Amino acid sequence: MKKLVFTLFTYLLLTSCTPSSDKVTVTWNIKLNHPVDNEVYIVGNQDFLGYWNPNQVKMEKVNELHWTFSHEVAPEKLLEFKFTQGDWKYQAADKNGTERHNDEFLVPQKDTTFHLLIEKWTDGKDNKTTGQITGEVKYHQNFHIDGLLDRDIIVWLPPSYHAATNKRYPVLYMHDGQNIIDPKTSSFGVDWQVDETCDSLIKKGMLEEIIIVGSYCTADRTEDYGDTEKGKIYRKSIAANLKNFIDKNYRTKPEKQNTAVAGSSMGGLVSFMIAWEYPETFKGAICMSPAFKYEDFDYIESIKSDPKKELLLYIDNGGKQVDVVLQEGVDKMSSSLKTKGYKEGEDLFVVIDKQARHSEGDWAKRFPSAIQLFFKK
């Protein structure tokens, strides 16, 4: 068994002699330096870990200083997680009170128990969100599509929108809209800063003025962004329902060459899928850390026999956390697209940053180059 390097806090790794099976039990036993008045939650990158909802998966209280949580997990699954008191303002920290990065481990073939020491918690004061909203945004709450959960929509307007009343603008559609503009609504208190990025590039004359439309995710994110029945409805809702709504209510350039879609992780996957299924509507897709292939899912095989489409495709990935697992799919998709006739540097751009994590902050760093490929002035 590969040695697992784990740096969440002080820990002791114990494994049983349980033989390999389809599922193994992973148990987290955490110890606190001081009792807390709130419940303790585990939060992470799987549905059973609340998929980054800080107050969904409550740990079991053993006593004032000890909490535990167990779940059956398939071996070889990469888990990322943190601990909170039900709010991102109060999450596990080191002895200096600094919040920890997401930590990870690859589930081994045997039952595993982790004993973790949480030395401090962030106090809600030093754990401030970074960034702010730059420019004007409009909100459309509870946008409804039959077959899907209602969701909020955020629309960022370019600097000249109100002054140049006869001007029309290209549109970029983005998933996980709560994470792209407003740090207060972002899942981790850090947003993509697409507002600051685009505002800066526009004022420097490096980017066309564009409208950005962010579709918030819901509790059905995995199904909406996946190759599922709900996913089909969601993809059509972006290409038809939401686009028609935006074109009707804002001064857009509705043509294919002025319309693109972007997202990260599962959002990167669904961005590709939308562009691939609606090439007459979208110029292309920005796919950051896309989940093309993971566990038993392989979207590349699903489109293996499809011919080349008239699309501009940007695909990137980091080199840490879950991006390590996603790299195989990025490589396989890049190779498949080249076989179809895409040429790197022309209609296919692949960027790998080995130092980057699977996070909004790192996607924000790569966003300026990506958006300029589509709407450079």
Side-chain angles (χ1 to χ4, degrees), residues 140 143-145 148 151-155 171-175 177 212-216 233-250 252 259-261 274 281-282:
H140 301 277
F143 188 77
H144 177 76
I145 298 295
L148 301 176
R151 71 196 65 230
D152 291 347
I153 305 296
I154 185 171
V155 179
V171 182
L172 175 68
Y173 292 86
M174 299 188 70
H175 312 287
I212 299 170
V213 178
S215 173
Y216 281 39
I233 299 173
Y234 177 76
R235 296 192 294 275
K236 183 177 181 181
S237 78
I238 298 294
N241 305 83
L242 181 58
K243 185 177 186 303
N244 290 340
F245 175 82
I246 296 299
D247 289 341
K248 180 180 179 181
N249 289 279
Y250 295 90
T252 68
T259 309
V261 60
I274 289 173
T281 302
F282 294 92

Side-chain angles (χ1 to χ4, degrees), residues 172-176 180 192 213 215 221 224-227 231 234-235 238-239 259-279 282-292 299 311-315 333 367 374:
L172 175 68
Y173 292 86
M174 299 188 70
H175 312 287
D176 293 310
I180 65 172
W192 279 46
V213 178
S215 173
R221 181 181 186 272
D224 289 348
Y225 293 3
D227 193 11
Y234 177 76
R235 296 192 294 275
I238 298 294
T259 309
V261 60
S264 61
S265 195
M266 288 291 289
L269 166 65
V270 75
S271 294
F272 185 98
M273 295 169 75
I274 289 173
W276 197 257
E277 293 175 15
Y278 298 92
F282 294 92
K283 178 179 183 178
I286 295 172
C287 311
M288 295 188 167
S289 303
F292 291 140
Y299 181 68
L311 293 169
L312 174 62
L313 299 169
Y314 169 92
I315 299 170
M333 177 63 84
F367 182 74
F374 287 79

Side-chain angles (χ1 to χ4, degrees), residues 70-82:
S70 298
H71 201 279
E72 287 192 336
V73 188
E76 304 302 319
K77 184 184 289 291
L78 184 70
L79 302 181
E80 296 180 69
F81 54 88
K82 286 188 172 185

Side-chain angles (χ1 to χ4, degrees), residues 255-377:
E255 303 82 10
K256 165 190 171 79
Q257 288 305 113
N258 296 300
T259 309
V261 60
S264 61
S265 195
M266 288 291 289
L269 166 65
V270 75
S271 294
F272 185 98
M273 295 169 75
I274 289 173
W276 197 257
E277 293 175 15
Y278 298 92
E280 72 285 351
T281 302
F282 294 92
K283 178 179 183 178
I286 295 172
C287 311
M288 295 188 167
S289 303
F292 291 140
K293 184 179 186 302
Y294 60 94
E295 297 176 14
D296 296 329
F297 175 75
D298 190 336
Y299 181 68
I300 305 99
E301 288 297 315
S302 300
I303 63 169
K304 186 176 182 179
S305 61
D306 291 357
K308 181 184 179 184
K309 314 240 176 135
E310 187 184 344
L311 293 169
L312 174 62
L313 299 169
Y314 169 92
I315 299 170
D316 73 19
N317 199 37
K320 299 180 181 296
Q321 298 180 313
V322 72
D323 282 10
V324 174
V325 174
L326 299 179
Q327 187 62 47
E328 180 184 358
V330 169
D331 292 340
K332 186 175 180 180
M333 177 63 84
S334 301
S335 177
S336 178
L337 291 172
K338 291 174 184 177
T339 300
K340 295 179 188 296
Y342 286 90
K343 295 183 179 179
E344 195 161 356
E346 294 183 13
D347 50 9
L348 173 64
F349 293 82
V350 181
V351 175
I352 307 298
D353 182 354
K354 291 296 185 182
Q355 301 307 310
R357 303 172 71 88
H358 195 82
S359 70
E360 278 69 25
D362 285 293
W363 296 323
K365 292 176 183 178
R366 302 198 293 269
F367 182 74
S369 298
I371 191 61
Q372 287 182 83
L373 290 173
F374 287 79
F375 301 114
K376 186 175 182 179
K377 190 169 183 179

